[in-house]
Amino acid sequence: MRIAVAGGTGMTGRLVVEALRARGHAPAVLSRGQGVDLLSGAGLDAALDGVEAVVDVSNVTTLRKSVSVDFFDRAGRHLVRAAERAGVRHLVTLSIVGVDRVRNPYYAGKLRQEEIVRGGRVPWTILRATQFHEFAGQVLSGVPGPVAVVPTARIQPVAVQEVAATLAGLAAEAPQGMAAELAGPRVESLVGMARRLIAAGLARRRPVLPVYFPGGTSRGRLLPTDPGPRGTQTFDDWLRARKGAGV
């Protein structure tokens, strides 16, 4: 199958492209480098010509609700409309477990993206996955100062490679609507993950201060609610692999 990947140059997208190729498909990367701009819609019609399915892992890095909603609204509308015109038979979109239970400015944009997908005429699958193993490092890198303030959240982190493989598999299947939630094999404390990351020398050494934040992250709302598929790589497995690679 010819399958387009929106966001195919990002961390997740590159792995989706690799997983599709490994399965014998022909991936087409939708990126500005390939003349495609999701925010304006430029180049989308030509890029989707002959495409049977689309995997959307496009993303924006922001903590501002207005930026997140604007990005996912514009990118989502252009992608869905172009897919409709091209006769795409399946749109697979990556979302987040707990996105509808946690008050978070970034999540507001992801919810808007889900609404657009569900309201379009292209048959769809939305896969909600838990945070990646990289999440603890992303939290630490966003906290300046001599003390790392980390939310007292419980999460069930999953390997991004396993998410990419699941997305690639879903793209070749019939549309499912809301797919079963994908999570990692073990529930972790975000604070504990941050401390182990620092102890392994993979983040700047400093004390970690656990803090309760309102909005649901500290209440287990980022954990899956159904017995869906589970990854196999634990956070400790990932940590050992990163340390062994000297990353």
Side-chain angles (χ1 to χ4, degrees), residues 25 75 107 131 145 155 170 172 183 215 225 243:
H25 301 299
Y107 285 10
Q131 286 70 28
I155 65 175
L170 288 170
T225 58
K243 191 173 181 180

Side-chain angles (χ1 to χ4, degrees), residues 164-181:
T166 300
L167 289 167
L170 288 170
E173 298 174 2
Q176 299 182 19
M178 296 301 297
E181 295 176 336

